[in-house]
Amino acid sequence: MDSITPLSFSGIDPRKPLIIAGPCSAESERQIMDTATQLAAAGIKIFRAGIWKPRTKPGGFEGVGQDGLEWLRKVREHTGMFTATEVANRLHTQQAIEAGVDILWIGARTSANPFAMQEIADTLQQVNPENLTVLVKNPVNPDIELWVGALQRIYNAGVRRIGAIHRGFSTYGKHLYRNVPQWHIPIELRLRYPNLPIICDPSHIGGKRELIAPLSQQAFDMGFNGLIVESHCDPDCALSDASQQVTPEILNFILNTLVIRDSRQTTESLTLLRQQIDRIDNELLEILSRRMGVSRDIGRYKKEHRMPVVQAGRYNDIIRSRVKLGEEMGMGQEFMKTILLAIHDESVRQQIEIINDRAQ
């Protein structure tokens, strides 16, 4: 992807971050026009709205369909804003292009499916692709090669106004975020393709409106090129993703409080290194969690076989061998002793908890 064209739009300062905003879903003409009018008054130049909504389970609100494209046309006519919507198959793509939608984006579920991506790419190739703007969200799973493959399919179709959207990655269990950011993945994408614009979707990463501001600031601090944010004239009554949408007024306040760095040249390398530290720290926590799981299994075994929790001989052998290995790897003796003792103490604590629970 050597010939990517910058995402420039008439009337939008290319030196400033690109801001795309609008409701998760187009619900009614009135809702669309009210939201767009307020966003335009706040200086937003690109309006987004989902026309077709992929839902996890059937029976939910799946979008208004083609009728919503006429509402987007009215937004452009009455406010002068550019428009954007999500497409997931050949028909969506054809209808959106025919309706004059300015920006197409491809969602996380679709970008994870090479067959669907190729279908969309084949459709784009037939309609003067050099004039199209296409943004590709990261796949739901943290696979950079799948993301790159999706982008390459669009690029190979002849689209040169292309960008990536980072919306976080699905994961199992409870987390602070709806979709875990895993910032190192978009950073790696930036390292591979320095000219590729990357836009952050703080609404889908956070899943909560109170996380939009800090996630947006973090994205700008890491050099992202813009934001795509869900904004609704009455977010609490939204038919989809109500908890992660903000009013145009709140969005305007958030945008005005964000710090945009004039130059990132001296901090980008440090940011990349810090992202590596964050990733390694997460890996360390996962490894420690697995180790404690094994310790709990050992606690069960010791209880069943009436063995003491602490076995001093093995502990001393472990300390000596691990400290020596750590020193050979460039770490200090006292540091290694402190770390190993803390791990041992936590293992003992968890084994004792297992024994006490089983004794009750």
Side-chain angles (χ1 to χ4, degrees):
M1 296 188 290
D2 298 326
S3 303
I4 295 173
T5 302
L7 297 180
S8 59
F9 297 89
S10 176
I12 299 180
D13 189 342
R15 297 167 298 180
K16 295 182 178 180
L18 195 66
I19 306 297
I20 304 171
C24 172
S25 302
E27 301 165 0
S28 69
E29 182 175 343
R30 179 176 180 179
Q31 169 244 7
I32 286 295
M33 295 307 299
D34 283 353
T35 306
T37 300
Q38 293 180 51
L39 289 170
I44 305 297
K45 304 294 185 181
I46 305 177
F47 181 80
R48 58 141 290 158
I51 303 300
W52 303 277
K53 298 301 298 181
R55 311 315 297 170
T56 301
K57 296 179 180 179
F61 177 65
E62 297 184 338
V64 297
Q66 191 173 5
D67 289 345
L69 295 173
E70 175 62 19
W71 304 342
L72 291 184
R73 186 193 64 77
K74 290 184 178 180
V75 167
R76 189 188 313 107
E77 179 180 312
H78 289 281
T79 69
M81 301 174 80
F82 297 96
T83 57
T85 198
E86 178 179 351
V87 297
N89 57 37
R90 182 186 302 275
L91 181 60
H92 294 171
T93 306
Q94 290 174 337
Q95 291 179 343
I97 292 173
E98 290 170 1
V101 175
D102 300 290
I103 301 171
L104 309 180
W105 84 77
I106 299 170
R109 292 179 175 89
T110 308
S111 64
N113 185 339
F115 293 108
M117 287 302 308
Q118 192 58 52
E119 177 181 304
I120 293 172
D122 292 343
T123 305
L124 294 172
Q125 195 166 23
Q126 300 170 7
V127 290
N128 195 14
E130 291 187 358
N131 294 328
L132 299 174
T133 300
V134 180
L135 307 176
V136 181
K137 288 194 173 185
N138 61 262
V140 290
N141 48 315
D143 185 341
I144 190 172
E145 301 303 335
L146 200 56
W147 197 3
V148 168
L151 289 160
Q152 287 178 336
R153 290 178 190 275
I154 300 302
Y155 183 84
N156 291 343
V159 179
R160 294 296 177 264
R161 293 170 57 86
I162 186 172
I165 299 177
H166 174 49
R167 50 80 75 189
F169 301 91
S170 298
T171 187
Y172 183 76
K174 293 183 178 180
H175 295 273
L176 172 63
Y177 304 109
R178 176 181 178 182
N179 295 291
V180 180
Q182 300 206 39
W183 296 104
H184 65 280
I185 295 180
I187 290 298
E188 182 176 344
L189 185 68
R190 167 60 53 80
L191 292 174
R192 291 195 195 186
Y193 304 102
N195 295 326
L196 177 70
I198 303 180
I199 295 170
C200 181
D201 181 350
S203 303
H204 278 90
I205 292 176
K208 304 183 185 87
R209 56 179 65 108
E210 61 266 26
L211 293 177
I212 290 176
L215 285 167
S216 297
Q217 185 62 66
Q218 190 167 359
F220 283 153
D221 289 345
M222 290 191 292
F224 279 55
N225 301 96
L227 303 172
I228 179 168
V229 185
E230 291 189 347
S231 180
H232 190 295
C233 58
D234 189 5
D236 289 333
C237 295
L239 298 181
S240 58
D241 289 347
S243 62
Q244 67 188 41
Q245 301 192 65
V246 294
T247 63
E249 180 182 9
I250 293 298
L251 177 59
N252 186 44
F253 175 79
I254 291 173
L255 294 177
N256 286 331
T257 59
L258 295 176
V259 177
I260 313 282
R261 314 295 178 188
D262 291 333
S263 173
R264 298 181 299 269
Q265 185 63 36
T266 59
T267 60
E268 280 184 347
S269 296
L270 182 58
T271 298
L272 296 178
L273 292 171
R274 285 171 173 166
Q275 293 306 310
Q276 292 183 46
I277 290 291
D278 290 343
R279 174 167 54 86
I280 293 169
D281 284 348
N282 288 335
E283 293 171 356
L284 281 172
L285 291 172
E286 291 173 0
I287 291 171
L288 285 172
S289 178
R290 293 203 303 269
R291 189 190 192 284
M292 294 307 162
V294 175
S295 293
R296 290 191 293 272
D297 290 338
I298 291 173
R300 296 184 184 96
Y301 183 91
K302 288 177 178 177
K303 174 60 178 177
E304 292 170 359
H305 293 81
R306 298 180 179 276
M307 296 172 63
V309 171
V310 178
Q311 296 177 309
R314 171 167 170 75
Y315 170 71
N316 290 332
D317 289 340
I318 288 176
I319 290 295
R320 281 193 296 267
S321 63
R322 300 293 193 274
V323 168
K324 181 179 179 181
L325 181 60
E327 287 183 296
E328 292 174 354
M329 299 171 71
M331 289 174 279
Q333 184 181 94
E334 290 303 315
F335 168 78
M336 288 302 304
K337 287 181 178 179
T338 301
I339 292 294
L340 292 169
L341 180 59
I343 292 173
H344 177 265
D345 288 348
E346 178 63 12
S347 297
V348 169
R349 186 189 68 79
Q350 297 210 19
Q351 289 183 30
I352 290 174
E353 282 189 353
I354 290 294
I355 291 173
N356 289 339
D357 285 344
R358 303 190 76 180
Q360 292 175 354

